[in-house]
Amino acid sequence: MRWQLVYLLRDFIVAPHTFLKPRARRTALIPELGAHVPTLPVLRSTPAVIAFLRHVGCPFAEATVRRMVAMAKHHPMLDFVAVTHSREGTSRSWCDAFGGATGIRLVSDPERASYAEWGIGLSDGKHFAGSDSLAALRQLLDQGIHNRWASGNRWQAAATFAVDSGGRLRWRHRPRHAGDLPPLEDAVAALVG
């Protein structure tokens, strides 16, 4: 438990602004399976896996982006979209620090408007600093994935969706804690059978 406290303290010293809880937005209900999804300007008439990330710099967000890049190589008929609540340049620089976002599209939503439209609100402190998240963090640290250039806020929850070419929701993942990464192979299976 000691290393987790050291890790959080280091992050607090380096990026204290990310620990400030932002004003909550009015958040819609999360879309139900089979329903048409809310708009997202970059959506095409192609089946898509859409991941709304916690914050730029988050190790769990990095792990998700890395997995999306790997999945995109094997499934070029699908559109992979990662949504951040940081500015576009910051999001791209963060991705470039760990290999880039080749094969996926990054969408910047600094106002968190799309997050709210898709039913993704803020979490609580236990969500990102609880024992389950810290245990998952340890596994990522062992893989060389760590917090980088934190931007945005740590309170924003994540969610991942699989949307068919007609704009209907076929699969969704709402993490139980920040370290509960989306099983992207399930998202792909929901779209390609």
Side-chain angles (χ1 to χ4, degrees):
M1 189 65 149
R2 185 176 178 175
W3 70 267
Q4 291 114 333
L5 295 175
V6 169
Y7 179 83
L8 285 174
L9 180 60
R10 178 195 66 102
D11 284 352
F12 184 75
I13 291 168
V14 173
H17 62 283
T18 65
F19 286 90
L20 298 175
K21 194 167 189 174
R23 181 181 54 82
R25 294 188 61 99
R26 179 173 290 163
T27 304
L29 295 175
I30 196 158
E32 293 293 329
L33 294 178
H36 280 284
V37 297
T39 60
L40 190 61
V42 299
L43 284 184
R44 308 174 217 193
S45 57
T46 305
V49 176
I50 305 160
F52 287 83
L53 305 174
R54 287 193 60 248
H55 69 85
V56 162
C58 172
F60 306 120
E62 178 177 330
T64 300
V65 169
R66 286 177 181 237
R67 290 176 62 214
M68 290 178 81
V69 167
M71 298 290 282
K73 289 178 186 174
H74 298 291
H75 301 283
M77 68 294 216
L78 300 178
D79 199 10
F80 288 83
V81 179
V83 183
T84 75
H85 62 276
S86 290
R87 303 225 177 275
E88 184 178 349
T90 303
S91 300
R92 291 215 175 275
S93 294
W94 166 65
C95 287
D96 290 346
F98 59 82
T102 304
I104 72 171
R105 293 188 295 139
L106 287 176
V107 174
S108 180
D109 181 22
E111 300 300 319
R112 303 183 338 268
S114 292
Y115 282 82
E117 289 172 9
W118 285 67
I120 312 162
L122 300 177
S123 64
D124 59 23
K126 184 178 178 189
H127 184 81
F128 67 85
S131 59
D132 290 333
S133 290
L134 294 176
L137 174 62
R138 177 62 189 204
Q139 292 174 350
L140 292 182
L141 288 172
D142 291 343
Q143 298 171 33
I145 298 174
H146 54 85
N147 209 333
R148 307 170 191 263
W149 310 339
S151 172
N153 73 78
R154 295 167 194 268
W155 301 91
Q156 180 60 57
T160 306
F161 304 92
V163 179
D164 68 19
S165 59
R168 291 190 180 274
L169 183 64
R170 296 299 171 204
W171 177 91
R172 69 181 184 190
H173 176 262
R174 295 180 72 183
R176 297 179 319 275
H177 56 84
D180 179 18
L181 299 180
L184 295 177
E185 50 286 335
D186 293 349
V188 169
L191 296 173
V192 298

